[in-house]
C-alpha cells in the first residue's frame, strides 16, 4: 500500500466571476521513503497538490489517503492535529517568526506535543545540530543568513519527527552555495532518516536531487522522469498504469 | 485560557511593537483611572444616601430650610424629643461650615454637648490619636475626622482655624460613618458663642431610634409635636436627609456614570484597535502556526490572551493610580456641611482590573475568530 494515495483529486475555487481548477482529477501514489519533485509552469497545480498533501488545504472532490488515513474527510481541528504529527513543511521564504530565536522557532511545533521542557530542549538541540546550527540557537532570524534561516526552518519541520516533509521551492530564495547546502540536507533526511520528501521546484537542477520528478500542467500530470541515480524510485501515477499518459 | 508553555509567545508578541503596546496600555490606564475615580464617587453617594435595614438615625432640621446657616432650632426641643416613645438618644448639634457651597475642601464644625458626646456620637467612633478626656478638658478642643485631619495634615496638639474659629486638635477619630470622617467635633457652647454670641440655638438634632422599623413613626411624631411651634421641624432618616440636602451634587455625580461607561467603551476601542492591527500584521505568521499544527482555537486563544494582557496591564496601572490619588488626597464632596466621601477600596481595584481583562477579552474576540477561521492557503496567497 502506498504511503500517499490520491484518487480523482480535484481542487476548485472561485476567483471573482471565474472558477479556477488548479487540480483536476489527479491520481497519484507515493511510496514511503520517496523523494518526489513536482515541476510545472505557474498555475499548473503543483503548490496546490503540495498543500493538499500537507493538509493545509482540502480537496473539492476525490480522496487523499496518507498512511491509511483519508485526510480529505478530516475536520479542521483533526486535520491540524494530523499535521502536527505527520507533516513537516519547508517554505520558500522560510517563514520563521521574527520575534523568536532559532531555538524558539524550532520549539514551536514541539509545544503542541505532551513533552516536558527538558524533552523539548533535547529534541530542539538534536534538530539544530542536524542542520548544523546548534551554535546559533539564540540568534534571531534577522541575525541569520538566508541559508541559515532555511536550515532553521528545516529543523522546525523535522523536530517532531514527521513521516512526510513537504518543501515549496526550498532553494528558490537562496544563492547557489546555500541552495546546495539546503538540498544536501534534504537528501540526507530522505536517504538517512527515510523521510518521504515532496518538493515543488522550478529548477531542473534542484529536481535532479529527487528520485522522481512529476510534471504538472493545468492541474494534471503530464510527464514523469526518473533520475538515473534513483532507478528504484517508487511513485506511480494511474495514468501510467492505464497507459495513456 | 492558555497553558503556561505558550505564555512566552504571547509576551513576545506584546513586546514586538513596544510603542504601540505602551500607548495602548497607557490609553487603557487613563480610561480605567477615570472609571475608578467615577466609581469611587458613585460609591460615596451610595454609601451616604442608600438606606439600609440597620439605619436607626433621624435628623431633625428646621422645616423648609436646607442650609446650616438658616436652620435654627431651640436647644430646649431636646427634652421633648427624648421623651418620645422609641427614642433611644438625641443630641443637639450646631453646624458651622467655612464654605456653604459645593466644594472638595470644606471644614465642617459640629458643636455637641460635652456630656452627650460619649453616649451618642462616641458610640460610632474610635480614637486613632488623642482621647475623649483631652477633648473634654479644653473648651476650644476639637476631635477631627481622619479624612479632614489627613487632608489638612493636622495632628494632635496642632491648632487650626476655619470660618473664623480657632480650635485645638485634641484627637483624631476613625469612623465607618461618612459624616464623621470629615468633621471637627467641638463643644456646643463654644461654637454657639463663637458664631451666635449667645447660647440656646442649634442647627439640628440627631435622634437614635430603638427600631429601624419605627423611623417613620418617630419622625412623624417629632414633626407633629413642633408643627405649631415658632420653629417647626422636618425630620427624615439621616440618609434621606443627605440625599435631599445634597441632591444637586448627587445628580451631578450620578451623571458621571455615563462618563464611566464612556471610559469602558474607550478601553474596548483601544485594545480592539491594537489587536486588529497586530493580527493584520501577522496573517502569514498565524498561517505558519496553523501549518505547524496549531489548532484554530489555540490561535484564537493566543490572540485573546494578548488582548486580555493589554487590558490587565492598563487596568492595573490606571486603577492603582486612581486608588493612590484618592488615598493620598483624602478628598470628599461637601455641600451644606454634609460630606460625600470619594472612596476606593480593594473591591473597586479588583472590579477595575476584572473589567479591564473582560473588555480586553471582548476586544480580542472578533479579530481572534477572524484569524482562526481564515483558510491557511488563502493567508499565504494574500500576503
Amino acid at each position: 500500500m502506498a504511503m500517499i494515495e490520491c484518487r480523482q483529486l480535484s481542487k476548485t475555487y472561485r476567483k471573482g466571476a471565474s472558477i479556477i481548477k488548479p487540480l483536476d482529477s489527479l491520481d497519484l501514489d507515493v511510496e514511503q521513503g520517496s523523494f518526489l519533485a513536482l515541476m510545472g509552469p505557474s498555475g499548473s497545480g503543483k503548490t496546490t497538490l503540495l498543500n493538499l498533501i500537507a493538509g493545509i488545504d482540502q480537496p473539492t472532490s476525490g480522496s487523499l489517503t496518507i498512511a491509511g488515513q483519508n485526510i480529505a474527510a478530516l475536520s479542521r481541528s483533526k486535520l491540524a492535529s494530523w499535521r502536527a504529527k505527520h507533516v513537516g513543511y519547508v517554505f520558500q521564504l522560510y517563514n520563521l517568526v521574527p520575534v523568536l530565536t532559532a531555538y524558539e522557532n524550532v520549539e514551536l511545533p514541539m509545544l503542541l506535543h505532551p513533552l516536558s521542557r527538558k524533552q523539548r530542549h533535547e529534541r530542539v538541540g538534536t534538530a539544530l545540530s542536524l542542520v548544523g546550527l546548534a551554535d546559533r540557537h539564540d540568534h534571531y532570524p534577522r541575525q541569520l543568513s538566508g541559508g541559515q534561516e532555511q536550515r532553521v526552518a528545516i529543523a522546525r519541520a523535522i523536530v517532531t519527527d514527521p513521516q512526510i516533509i513537504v518543501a515549496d521551492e526550498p532553494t528558490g530564495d537562496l544563492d547557489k552555495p546555500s541552495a546546495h547546502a539546503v538540498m544536501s540536507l534534504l537528501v540526507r533526511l530522505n536517504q538517512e532518516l527515510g523521510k518521504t520528501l515532496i518538493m515543488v521546484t522550478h529548477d531542473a537542477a534542484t529536481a535532479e536531487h529527487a528520485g522522481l520528478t512529476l510534471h504538472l500542467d493545468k492541474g494534471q500530470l503530464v510527464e514523469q522522469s526518473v533520475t538515473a541515480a534513483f532507478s528504484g524510485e517508487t511513485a506511480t501515477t494511474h495514468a501510467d498504469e492505464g497507459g495513456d499518459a | 485560557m492558555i497553558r503556561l508553555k505558550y505564555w512566552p509567545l504571547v509576551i513576545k508578541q506584546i513586546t514586538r511593537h513596544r510603542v504601540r503596546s505602551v500607548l495602548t496600555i497607557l490609553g487603557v490606564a487613563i480610561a480605567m483611572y477615570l472609571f475608578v475615580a467615577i466609581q469611587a464617587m458613585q460609591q460615596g453617594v451610595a454609601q451616604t444616601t442608600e438606606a439600609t435595614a440597620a439605619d436607626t438615625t433621624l435628623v431633625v432640621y428646621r422645616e423648609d430650610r436646607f442650609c446650616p446657616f438658616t436652620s435654627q432650632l431651640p436647644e430646649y426641643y431636646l427634652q421633648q424629643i427624648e421623651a418620645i416613645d422609641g427614642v433611644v438618644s438625641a443630641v443637639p448639634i450646631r453646624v458651622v461650615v467655612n464654605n456653604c457651597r459645593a466644594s472638595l475642601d470644606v471644614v465642617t464644625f459640629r458643636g455637641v454637648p460635652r456630656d452627650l458626646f460619649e453616649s451618642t456620637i462616641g458610640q460610632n467612633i474610635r480614637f486613632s490619636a488623642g482621647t475623649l478626656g483631652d477633648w473634654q478638658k479644653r473648651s476650644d478642643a476639637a476631635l477631627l475626622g481622619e479624612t479632614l485631619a489627613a487632608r489638612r495634615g493636622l495632628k494632635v496638639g496642632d491648632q487650626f482655624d476655619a470660618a473664623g474659629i480657632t480650635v485645638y486638635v485634641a484627637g483624631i477619630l476613625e469612623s465607618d460613618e461618612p459624616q464623621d470622617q470629615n468633621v471637627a467635633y467641638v463643644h456646643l457652647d463654644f461654637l454657639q458663642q463663637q458664631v451666635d454670641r449667645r447660647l440656646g440655638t442649634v442647627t439640628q438634632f440627631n435622634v437614635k431610634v430603638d427600631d429601624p422599623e419605627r423611623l417613620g413613626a418617630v419622625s412623624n411624631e417629632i414633626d407633629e409635636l413642633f408643627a405649631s411651634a415658632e420653629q417647626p421641624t422636618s425630620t427624615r432618616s439621616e440618609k434621606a436627609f443627605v440625599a435631599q440636602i445634597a441632591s444637586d451634587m448627587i445628580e451631578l455625580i450620578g451623571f458621571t456614570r455615563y462618563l464611566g461607561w464612556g471610559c469602558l467603551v474607550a478601553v474596548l476601542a483601544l485594545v480592539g484597535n491594537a489587536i486588529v492591527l497586530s493580527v493584520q500584521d501577522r496573517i502569514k505568521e498565524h498561517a505558519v502556526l496553523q501549518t505547524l499544527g496549531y489548532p484554530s482555537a489555540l490561535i484564537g486563544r493566543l490572540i485573546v490572551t494578548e488582548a486580555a494582557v493589554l487590558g490587565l496591564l492598563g487596568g492595573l496601572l490606571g486603577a492603582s493610580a486612581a486608588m493612590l490619588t484618592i488615598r493620598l488626597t483624602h478628598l470628599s464632596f461637601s455641600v451644606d456641611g454634609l460630606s460625600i466621601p470619594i472612596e476606593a477600596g480593594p473591591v473597586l481595584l479588583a472590579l477595575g482590573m476584572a473589567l479591564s481583562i473582560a473588555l480586553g477579552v471582548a476586544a480580542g474576540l472578533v479579530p481572534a475568530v477572524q484569524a482562526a477561521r481564515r483558510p491557511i492557503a488563502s493567508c499565504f496567497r494574500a500576503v
Side-chain angles (χ1 to χ4, degrees), chain A residues 76 83 98-99 104 108 111, chain B residues 5 12 290 294 296 372 374:
Chain A
R76 196 178 165 124
R83 281 195 302 272
V99 289
E104 290 164 337
L108 271 179
L111 296 175
Chain B
K5 60 186 175 181
K12 290 235 175 183
Q290 291 195 62
Y294 278 61
S296 304
R374 203 171 277 137

Side-chain angles (χ1 to χ4, degrees), chain A residues 13 51 56-57 76 80-81 83-84 89 91 93 95 97-100 104 108-109 111-113 120 140 156, chain B residues 5-6 9 12-13 16 284-285 288-296 298 372-377 380:
Chain A
Y13 62 87
N51 287 346
I56 65 172
D57 206 352
R76 196 178 165 124
S81 172
R83 281 195 302 272
Y89 202 116
F91 300 91
L93 296 174
N95 283 337
V97 180
V99 289
L100 302 181
E104 290 164 337
L108 271 179
L111 296 175
L112 297 168
H113 296 267
R120 291 202 303 271
Y140 286 91
R156 183 178 64 184
Chain B
K5 60 186 175 181
Y6 297 113
L9 262 180
K12 290 235 175 183
Q13 295 300 356
R16 180 180 203 160
K284 200 170 175 180
E285 243 174 74
V288 170
L289 289 179
Q290 291 195 62
T291 303
L292 297 178
Y294 278 61
S296 304
L298 177 55
R373 282 189 177 169
R374 203 171 277 137
I376 307 173
F380 289 122

Side-chain angles (χ1 to χ4, degrees), chain B residues 203-223:
Chain B
T203 306
Q204 66 192 60
F205 293 89
N206 279 19
V207 179
K208 210 80 176 163
V209 176
D210 60 355
D211 182 355
E213 291 189 1
R214 296 185 67 183
L215 279 176
V218 172
S219 71
N220 288 340
E221 203 169 330
I222 293 170
D223 291 343

Side-chain angles (χ1 to χ4, degrees), chain B residues 275-319:
Chain B
I275 293 298
V276 165
L277 289 175
S278 171
V279 168
Q280 280 174 352
D281 284 351
R282 285 156 36 208
I283 289 175
K284 200 170 175 180
E285 243 174 74
H286 289 143
V288 170
L289 289 179
Q290 291 195 62
T291 303
L292 297 178
Y294 278 61
S296 304
L298 177 55
I299 303 276
R301 292 208 309 273
L302 288 169
I303 293 168
V304 167
T305 305
E306 264 178 61
V309 170
L310 286 175
L312 169 67
L313 293 176
L316 182 64
L317 191 64

Side-chain angles (χ1 to χ4, degrees), chain B residues 362-381:
Chain B
L365 273 180
V366 172
V369 169
Q370 284 175 342
R373 282 189 177 169
R374 203 171 277 137
I376 307 173
S378 73
C379 294
F380 289 122
R381 276 198 297 269

Side-chain angles (χ1 to χ4, degrees), chain B residues 80-88 209-210 214 217-219 221:
Chain B
Q80 289 165 275
I81 292 170
E82 282 178 330
I84 292 172
D85 187 31
V87 172
V88 175
V209 176
D210 60 355
R214 296 185 67 183
V218 172
S219 71
E221 203 169 330

